Amino acid sequence: MVERSSYFEDLPSLMSRATEFFNLRRKCPARCKKILGGLVFWVLLGLPAASPVHPSDVTVHVESLTIPLARRYPAGAAIYARNVWDLQAFEGRLYVGGGNWDNKGPSSNAGPVPILAWDADKGRVVQEGEVDDEEISRFEIIGGRLYIPGADALESWKLGNLYRRETDGHWRKLRTIPRAIHAFALTDYGGRLYAGLKATDTVPWYVDFKGYGAAVAVSENSGSSWKFLPLGGFGAFEFLQVDGCLYAMDLTPGPGLRQWISKQDREAYYAPAYALDPSGLCFERRPDLDAAHLFPDTPEARERACCVHRPVSFGRSALYIGACGGPFGLYRAGSLHKGKVRTARIPLPPGTIPQDLLIRDGVVFVLLQGPTDKKGIQIRVLASRDLDQWFDLLRFTAPTFARSFEILNGDFYFGLGCTVKSRSEWNPAELHPETGRLLRIKGGYLPALRTYLK
């Protein structure tokens, strides 16, 4: 990780002042003394080790706003469902994802979930509707419209849900995705919509009676109808668009998943990734895209089932976070073509964990969870235009980690979260009361941000 502070950015100025000092040393001792004093003060102030506050520390400027989901999930086990799974800026509002679709753990099966948004102009949370699903895991902007894939429908699994915000601000429910238990991901490619699913009837009945497994649904009419493409693995959790190609991403197997694959005779169906063929209506298994290729320089990723998390496109590359229960690393894929796989792990500051990614105006922003001390958990944001040089944009201390972040009207917003070590044996103390809190840092306190956002 190449980390730059204001000290290093102003190094040419420092050298210029030093040169001025030595040139005037003999001609004007009095002025020379004044320059020396100013130079020493500037150096002591600029060096990170000499100041108790890092130049990018903005803790004093953090605003605590509200917990949007506190009314729906007020206390106790319900606190877990206040986790801000996703934040999405759209048309002047900040949309907040929450709930919990898991069958285990605190606040299991927590639907229906209200569609809430922070209205920056009004300075309050507004409700625009509700989803008949257990969780709002993500928002997607496609074709100028805001979508929510149905994470876990409260109704029959014969159909899954998709929600679309119409131009008048109302949400339309499209209950059209065939056989979907979970709609994990949604993307557009080649003029079509693709939904990544865990669904029924993805393998023959003699492999599994209900055929639970990975599938992709494809729509050529904005979700009104779909073509169902059974893949047969565990689930299509994410999509990656790399070097002009689309990939549906399943889990990379650890020992437990390998045992499941063998027990269910799924070797002919399962793959950690599936590549879309040129027709746009068929996926090819890619068993070669294993943990060693998707999560390079990460030996521990081969010991557990892992997945691609929070992917974003950056030019013809894709950036994504690796996750095995929790996030563990940041990766870049430049090519996933057979025999030409190019992936790399991006170094991060020691003691940090990536939580979220944003692309704005050709800039990558990475949300990091840092070390914990008596004051709380350090939260950091890094920024880069080329993935080689990284700028430590800001850092602050919060009572718990930030799970997601967004930029709205030039201001940074953060959604706080909590986690549990075991969904079957969780401890109430793990459910931090500040879970779901929105924090804001106004852009005026981040002058360096102007060098990154147009």
Side-chain angles (χ1 to χ4, degrees), residues 292-298 318-320 329-335 341-347:
H293 286 93
L294 292 174
F295 311 114
D297 301 319
T298 314
L319 294 179
Y320 53 92
L330 179 62
Y331 303 86
R332 175 184 185 178
S335 170
V341 175
R342 298 196 314 273
T343 57
R345 183 168 186 170
I346 297 177

Side-chain angles (χ1 to χ4, degrees), residues 1 3-4 54 56 348-356 365-371 377-383 391-397 402 405 412 414:
M1 171 58 60
E3 184 177 332
R4 293 158 40 193
H54 190 278
S56 62
L348 296 174
T352 63
I353 302 170
Q355 288 287 353
D356 200 4
F365 296 92
V366 183
L367 172 65
L368 299 179
Q369 174 185 336
I377 294 179
Q378 186 185 91
I379 296 171
R380 298 172 67 171
V381 174
L382 306 181
F391 182 78
D392 196 350
L393 186 63
L394 64 88
R395 66 178 70 184
F396 63 93
T397 301
F405 73 143
F412 267 97
F414 301 84

Side-chain angles (χ1 to χ4, degrees), residues 197-364:
L197 312 175
K198 184 169 186 176
T200 61
D201 301 321
T202 67
V203 292
W205 65 268
Y206 52 82
V207 175
D208 179 82
F209 179 68
K210 293 187 177 181
Y212 296 147
V216 171
V218 187
S219 175
E220 298 187 15
N221 51 21
S222 300
S224 296
S225 62
W226 302 80
K227 177 180 174 61
F228 186 82
L229 305 177
L231 303 179
F234 191 78
F237 293 94
E238 294 286 0
F239 291 106
L240 287 183
Q241 295 195 32
V242 183
D243 198 22
C245 298
L246 180 67
Y247 301 85
M249 310 306 294
D250 206 319
L251 298 174
T252 61
L257 185 54
R258 290 191 188 95
Q259 183 178 9
W260 177 83
I261 294 168
S262 176
K263 182 178 180 180
Q264 297 223 352
D265 296 322
R266 294 197 183 222
E267 289 85 352
Y269 304 96
Y270 171 82
Y274 308 84
L276 184 66
D277 82 351
S279 73
L281 297 173
C282 181
F283 281 84
E284 176 191 4
R285 294 173 63 246
R286 290 291 306 277
D288 58 304
L289 293 177
D290 56 9
H293 286 93
L294 292 174
F295 311 114
D297 301 319
T298 314
E300 60 270 25
R302 307 176 196 183
E303 300 171 1
R304 297 180 59 189
C306 298
C307 65
V308 166
H309 182 56
R310 303 276 194 180
V312 294
S313 295
F314 187 72
R316 296 184 66 83
S317 298
L319 294 179
Y320 53 92
I321 295 169
C324 292
F328 57 77
L330 179 62
Y331 303 86
R332 175 184 185 178
S335 170
L336 295 179
H337 295 295
K338 284 186 177 180
K340 300 179 181 178
V341 175
R342 298 196 314 273
T343 57
R345 183 168 186 170
I346 297 177
L348 296 174
T352 63
I353 302 170
Q355 288 287 353
D356 200 4
L357 294 167
L358 284 179
I359 305 288
R360 293 292 183 272
D361 294 335
V363 179
V364 180

